[in-house]
Amino acid sequence: QVQLVESGGGLVQAGGSLRLSCAASGRTFSNYAMGWYRQAPGKEREFVAAIRWSDGRWSDGWTYYADSVKGRFTISRDNAKNTAYLQMNSLKPEDTAVYYCAAVPYGTWPPTRYDYWGQGTQVTVSS
């Protein structure tokens, strides 16, 4: 089992920035691909970003983004701290959503599913 806890959400004005954190516990963090998803009111959950697991290969640190956030959001991980991050810049009102962290053991890249999910953190962007 992997437990995931998100933090860092809040209220920000359009054009501002936030950094979300996802603290993981329970298994070897570096063995997991990490992802961020979001769900806006009345909409389905959608993919935001993913970062590959770390196994010492040249593909370590590979990332993958939804088109809607490319160039504005950056996903990263700190394996020593068992934490994944989502740096969000140039935020727009349409980025308002509950943001979820997710994890899946190494395997397919990019992942097609995730096994573990956090409880979510609210991000609200005012215009």
Side-chain angles (χ1 to χ4, degrees), residues 51-102:
I51 187 165
R52 193 182 178 275
W53 58 90
S54 302
D55 56 6
R57 298 186 179 186
W58 61 277
S59 50
D60 278 1
W62 276 7
T63 56
Y64 181 63
Y65 295 94
D67 288 344
S68 59
V69 306
K70 278 182 183 176
R72 300 188 299 123
F73 291 10
T74 302
I75 187 171
S76 63
R77 65 189 302 154
D78 185 335
N79 291 332
K81 295 183 177 180
N82 289 353
T83 303
Y85 303 97
L86 185 68
Q87 177 67 43
M88 305 185 295
N89 298 329
S90 302
L91 283 161
K92 306 174 181 179
E94 51 264 44
D95 294 319
T96 295
V98 177
Y99 282 71
Y100 297 90
C101 173

Side-chain angles (χ1 to χ4, degrees), residues 22-33:
C22 173
S25 61
R27 293 291 177 93
T28 304
F29 178 71
S30 60
N31 289 345
Y32 287 76

